[in-house]
Amino acid sequence: MFHSPSKHKDFGVFMPMANGGWIISKNAPKLDGLYPQNRAAAVLADELGLDFLMAMGKFRGFGGETNHWGVTLESVTMMAALAEATQNIRVWATIHPLLQNPAVAAKMIATLDHISGGRAGLNIVAGAYKDEFEQMGAWDDALDHDGRYRLTEEWTTVVKRLWKEESVDFAGEFFTMKDCQSAPKPLSQPRPSIICAGMSERGFQFSVREADAVFVGGRTPDERRDASLRAKAAAERLGTTIRTYAMCTIVHGETDAEAEATAKRYDEGADIDAIIAMLQSWGMGGGDLRAKALATGAFMTQTAIGSPATCGEKIREFVDYAELDGLMLIFPDYVAGLTMFGADILPGLRAVYS
């Protein structure tokens, strides 16, 4: 059936390229968003045999006491450096079509593919945080949600053609190419991987049609499962396939009680003002935002909290129930977390999913 997941599962790392990472808390370990921490995590993930690294694109943070995500590296530049620092792991960079001409983007990812020896991937983000784009004059109030996806569809068409064709002529609503040329072509065949995470109906259809993998979300296991199966069903209707991934933050301790106490301490230090700004960036402007922020808590993703054995069990339950093809991992402390994951969890996952 369409929803039968592949046996092999990809396990990758969501890079800490913005300060604070994916825990919005005054009590979490310090992640500064700078290169040494990212390089250490990437090299370790590569040595452990993980499958991919991904870096988001972010240009403005959420403020608050922690200035969460106020310090960030640029995604493609950082991944090019990490491609040189690693040997086998895939390197996926993020580009916003609103900010980069497709001919420039095609060249950037082709360059990353050559630097990495054919390990590059492109995460396309069509959505936009208004304050982030408005600060640089890149926000157009006339371009609504569907309009941004029309633009992204054109953009993606041009990028794919430039990776394949010697010359591209294109006349669209947003982009015009006249005998546009881009060489060298990527090393990856048939092209670099494309990843998306659009969860609106419009974004969902775009992701399934244009990407190789889609990140799914949801507040409950059933919502995540439904999103994963919906993606696979939509791909089948289009005569193609899609891999579904999700994100997971791992908080481990020697015992379940120790890990749960650590997670509670992070939640107790939640930076509520930064969480409110994050919710506003997601369009959640109505009602009592402080109450919503308190309910959201410090963690931005699904979690696996417990001893290494418990975390391993929770990861398998998460992957199996949602019928996922991969999981992108987040850690409060990346070196400590990856070291534990590589020693105590990954061998068991590889034994099950191989």
Side-chain angles (χ1 to χ4, degrees):
M1 295 177 65
F2 68 83
H3 58 264
S4 296
S6 61
K7 181 67 173 175
H8 174 77
K9 309 297 180 186
D10 288 335
F11 294 96
V13 181
F14 209 173
M15 300 305 295
M17 50 75 67
N19 68 299
W22 282 263
I23 303 174
I24 309 180
S25 173
K26 300 183 286 291
N27 295 344
K30 181 176 175 58
L31 294 174
D32 59 20
L34 301 180
Y35 186 66
Q37 286 186 344
N38 281 273
R39 189 185 189 281
V43 169
L44 182 54
D46 189 42
E47 291 172 347
L48 293 171
L50 272 74
D51 297 289
F52 67 88
L53 310 171
M54 193 168 93
M56 68 175 176
K58 182 56 57 179
F59 300 91
R60 187 183 182 93
F62 298 128
E65 186 176 337
T66 61
N67 186 30
H68 195 81
W69 287 1
V71 176
T72 61
L73 298 178
E74 193 281 315
S75 184
V76 182
T77 311
M78 186 181 80
M79 297 313 279
L82 295 181
E84 275 288 306
T86 56
Q87 299 297 318
N88 299 302
I89 199 164
R90 285 170 278 165
V91 287
W92 296 348
T94 296
I95 296 180
H96 293 79
L98 284 175
L99 298 180
Q100 290 287 0
N101 181 280
V104 177
K107 178 76 74 175
M108 292 165 71
I109 299 301
T111 301
L112 178 60
D113 205 44
H114 277 260
I115 292 170
S116 65
R119 294 183 280 134
L122 168 61
N123 178 42
I124 299 174
V125 178
Y129 165 25
K130 182 176 180 179
D131 288 350
E132 183 174 18
F133 286 72
E134 199 167 47
Q135 69 177 357
M136 59 183 89
W139 182 262
D140 183 352
D141 282 320
L143 199 62
D144 62 9
H145 178 272
D146 283 356
R148 288 193 291 275
Y149 271 101
R150 292 198 312 275
L151 181 150
T152 300
E153 286 166 352
E154 282 192 11
W155 187 94
T156 304
T157 295
V158 172
V159 168
K160 287 182 174 180
R161 288 184 60 187
L162 285 168
W163 282 343
K164 181 179 180 181
E165 301 174 24
E166 293 305 312
S167 174
V168 172
D169 290 302
F170 183 88
E173 179 183 359
F174 301 98
F175 301 106
T176 299
M177 303 288 138
K178 298 179 181 179
D179 184 26
C180 189
Q181 300 176 19
S182 185
K185 304 303 180 190
L187 297 175
S188 298
Q189 293 299 320
R191 54 165 172 73
S193 298
I194 292 179
I195 308 96
C196 295
M199 283 294 100
S200 67
E201 186 56 34
R202 189 75 159 82
F204 190 83
Q205 292 300 321
F206 166 81
S207 299
V208 170
R209 187 174 59 253
E210 299 292 348
D212 303 293
V214 57
F215 279 95
V216 299
R219 292 165 295 181
T220 67
D222 285 340
E223 286 183 0
R224 291 186 286 271
R225 175 182 171 84
D226 289 347
S228 177
L229 297 185
R230 188 160 59 99
K232 294 176 187 293
E236 185 180 50
R237 289 193 298 271
L238 292 172
T240 186
T241 59
I242 192 78
R243 295 177 67 79
T244 57
Y245 296 161
M247 296 180 286
C248 183
T249 299
I250 299 176
V251 180
H252 79 280
E254 291 189 10
T255 65
D256 290 354
E258 179 184 316
E260 288 161 3
T262 298
K264 181 180 179 182
R265 186 170 73 253
Y266 296 162
D267 253 334
E268 289 172 345
D271 187 343
I272 298 303
D273 289 336
I275 296 170
I276 288 172
M278 177 188 71
L279 295 175
Q280 289 173 324
S281 78
W282 293 349
M284 297 175 64
D288 186 346
L289 274 179
R290 183 161 292 274
K292 290 179 181 177
L294 288 167
T296 298
F299 293 96
M300 300 174 73
T301 75
Q302 167 71 13
T303 58
I305 300 169
S307 68
T310 297
C311 288
E313 290 172 6
K314 289 181 176 180
I315 288 169
R316 288 193 295 273
E317 290 171 2
F318 186 9
V319 169
D320 289 345
Y321 187 70
E323 300 199 19
L324 298 171
D325 299 291
L327 208 59
M328 185 161 64
L329 306 172
I330 295 162
F331 302 93
D333 179 312
Y334 275 71
V335 170
L338 278 166
T339 300
M340 178 281 299
F341 183 81
D344 299 329
I345 297 179
L346 185 60
L349 296 175
R350 293 300 194 206
V352 172
Y353 303 123
S354 61

